[in-house]
Amino acid sequence: MAAEPLKTLFYPFEAEALPWPRSDARILFLGAEPGFRLPGGVAAALHLVQGFRPHFRALQAAGYSVTPQAEGSAFDAALVLAGRHRGQNELRIAEAIERVAPGGLIVVAGGKEDGIDSLRKRVGALAPLEAHLPKHHGVAFWFRRAGMDAARALRAANPDLVVEGRFRTAPGMFSFDRVDAGSKLLLDSLPQELAGNVADFCAGWGYLAAGVMERSTGLSGLDLYEADFEALEAAKVNIRATAVEPRFFWTDLLTETVERGYDAIVMNPPFHSGRAADPGIGAGMIRAASKALKPGGRLFMVANRQLLYEQVLAGAFSSHAEVARDGMFKVFSARR
């Protein structure tokens, strides 16, 4: 979670450099994450937007109104929590400009190590900034919507991409500008044909599932599970249905139950939480895959070579083996 940038975002209000919008104001909060604290004694209708399923569920559980994509217009103000992805940050600011009313306040904040100073300069070259304020190892800056030119410029600088001539992606998605090398090794290492009900865990924008769909004629079902809402929406465009109609599940596999049983699962699990490596995520995904497989079902997964998942696989499956490796990755096959 972005604990420090969240504090930075609300600091201008706490320091009284900005007045909090009136109690009947509608405030759009793009990139909202759990753990933020409103300035004391204030009230306003917050409309939170968060497409990462674990954060979405945590915000819902805290009682907030939250959607995976922005909805509505003519907001009185917008808050934008900037992250590590420059293009995604610029697109969020563009959306804030498009969805606030003329003259509406837009406040942006992020961490210095994530490039907030360069983002401030970039936006300042397109729209006059009122002020900026550093705090909590980050910077907050703000401006008013004076037109749509800045939004158009930011969108033009960050168009949707087409990878390998067919896969549509967007900034902020995992490996949005190229096919991930680990996913490619996994696809190249799969049996020539997978049959029955197959799932792609951590499906991203659909590269692995598309490969499985195209090479396997014995499929009776293909389901994609992904925690990033925007990536899953892209996968819906990128998967070309053949004999079976793929299904798509916006799911946090670490906390939500998979209802269907599978004959095979392919998986390239994440192993970072923010900047920090967290092998526990991949371990949790391995256990989730074991629970979702039918007896005798097989898991095919790729991992960075330094990640020691062998013990987790041994505990969750009746057998496992390394079936491929290169200079960076290794591929496992495991049977339930």
Side-chain angles (χ1 to χ4, degrees), residues 306-322:
Q306 76 269 20
L307 297 174
L308 303 178
Y309 288 139
E310 288 84 350
Q311 186 173 354
V312 183
L313 288 164
F317 290 86
S318 61
S319 63
H320 73 278
E322 183 181 305

Side-chain angles (χ1 to χ4, degrees), residues 46-287:
L46 285 175
H47 299 259
L48 279 54
V49 180
Q50 176 53 256
F52 182 52
R53 183 72 174 175
H55 290 345
F56 175 92
R57 296 186 74 218
L59 290 166
Q60 265 196 337
Y64 291 107
S65 171
V66 55
T67 58
Q69 290 181 313
E71 301 172 356
S73 61
F75 288 93
D76 298 287
L79 307 174
V80 180
L81 183 64
R84 297 175 59 189
H85 301 283
R86 177 191 60 81
Q88 185 179 56
N89 292 335
E90 293 189 2
L91 290 173
R92 283 178 177 170
I93 294 171
E95 182 140 45
I97 295 169
E98 293 160 354
R99 291 186 181 273
V100 299
L105 175 70
I106 299 169
V107 184
V108 183
K112 289 183 178 179
E113 64 180 6
D114 291 333
I116 189 63
D117 284 315
S118 62
L119 180 65
R120 175 175 61 86
K121 293 174 184 177
R122 165 78 168 134
V123 175
L126 299 172
L129 303 184
E130 288 190 358
H132 71 278
L133 196 60
K135 191 66 174 178
H136 303 299
H137 309 291
V139 174
F141 64 88
W142 55 94
F143 62 101
R144 306 271 172 178
R145 176 190 157 180
M148 301 299 288
D149 288 347
R152 284 191 283 266
L154 292 170
R155 288 209 178 274
N158 297 282
D160 287 351
L161 299 180
V162 180
V163 175
E164 294 197 345
R166 60 160 293 192
F167 296 107
R168 295 196 173 274
T169 72
M173 299 176 191
F174 170 70
S175 195
F176 75 95
D177 57 349
R178 66 195 182 283
V179 171
D180 174 66
S183 294
K184 186 177 188 307
L185 178 64
L186 174 56
L187 184 61
D188 291 344
S189 305
L190 291 177
Q192 191 58 37
E193 176 111 359
L194 294 177
N197 287 327
V198 177
D200 183 354
F201 279 14
C202 316
W205 42 261
Y207 171 76
L208 273 175
V212 170
M213 177 77 82
E214 290 168 1
R215 66 197 291 176
S216 301
T217 59
L219 294 177
S220 56
L222 179 64
D223 293 346
L224 286 76
Y225 293 82
E226 172 56 43
D228 180 345
F229 184 86
E230 295 291 345
L232 194 64
E233 290 296 293
K236 293 177 182 178
V237 176
N238 292 331
I239 305 298
R240 299 167 183 168
T242 53
V244 299
E245 190 71 30
R247 302 192 307 170
F248 302 86
F249 297 91
W250 183 44
T251 301
D252 176 10
L253 287 164
L254 295 181
T255 63
E256 296 182 90
T257 302
V258 174
E259 301 293 343
R260 196 177 187 189
Y262 294 100
D263 299 290
I265 293 174
V266 298
M267 181 170 73
N268 181 0
F271 63 95
H272 280 91
S273 178
R275 289 183 177 274
D278 186 358
I281 297 174
M285 295 294 179
I286 290 170
R287 297 184 185 103

